[in-house]
Amino acid sequence: MSQCLFCKIVRREVPASIVYEDDDLLAFNDINPQSPTHVLVVPKRHIATLNDLQPADDPLVGLMTRRAAALARERGLAESGFRTVFNTNRDAGQTVFHIHLHLLGGRALGWPPG
Ligand code: 5GP
Ligand code: ZN
């Protein structure tokens, strides 16, 4: 997936403000933040959308989810609250086709989303 933007960020071919890394995941600040905290948690391995997840990916998705919660806790958001979002395909406004979990927090977030 040589042309994928988030694969390029994983390979350090595109710069990003990285806040967490391990063998499986990278997390970095969104370039166009929608809240005081807006972090994207991505798997290092390319997966285009949630529609492409396989049963073997369940542990990876668990790691993504728990990492988002840990990053929220580090930022003091565990009690006040935060939102985690996967956008999938056109109607949800997915623009980067490498799955990413948005972590949003630091302000009151409206519901339902637009
Ligand atoms: P989506 O709309 O696909 O759910 O979210 C894609 C997100 O990636 C958007 O929030 C957008 O601001 C962010 N984004 C797009 N290009 C870049 C980039 O080059 N660097 C970073 N850090 N975020 C990006
Ligand atoms: Zn990718």
Side-chain angles (χ1 to χ4, degrees):
M1 290 301 157
S2 58
Q3 294 310 308
C4 168
L5 173 62
F6 287 175
C7 284
K8 288 182 178 178
I9 288 176
V10 167
R11 294 194 300 263
R12 306 298 206 273
E13 293 169 12
V14 168
S17 171
I18 293 169
V19 298
Y20 177 83
E21 180 171 23
D22 64 23
D23 287 347
D24 300 303
L25 305 179
L26 194 69
F28 49 89
N29 290 314
D30 197 291
I31 204 168
N32 182 23
Q34 301 301 309
S35 51
T37 288
H38 188 173
V39 173
L40 303 174
V41 181
V42 312
K44 287 187 169 177
R45 179 163 56 85
H46 182 85
I47 301 170
T49 80
L50 257 56
N51 294 327
D52 302 297
L53 287 172
Q54 303 299 318
D57 298 322
D58 288 0
L60 182 63
V61 176
L63 288 173
M64 293 174 71
T65 307
R66 290 206 310 113
R67 181 51 49 193
L71 290 165
R73 179 170 294 280
E74 284 174 13
R75 287 160 175 71
L77 302 174
E79 301 308 322
S80 56
F82 57 91
R83 184 168 294 162
T84 44
V85 176
F86 284 106
N87 291 320
T88 300
N89 282 342
R90 180 186 62 242
D91 277 359
Q94 185 177 3
T95 58
V96 179
F97 288 84
H98 177 134
I99 63 169
H100 47 282
L101 184 54
H102 293 259
L103 166 63
L104 298 147
R107 66 172 173 84
L109 299 162
W111 190 264

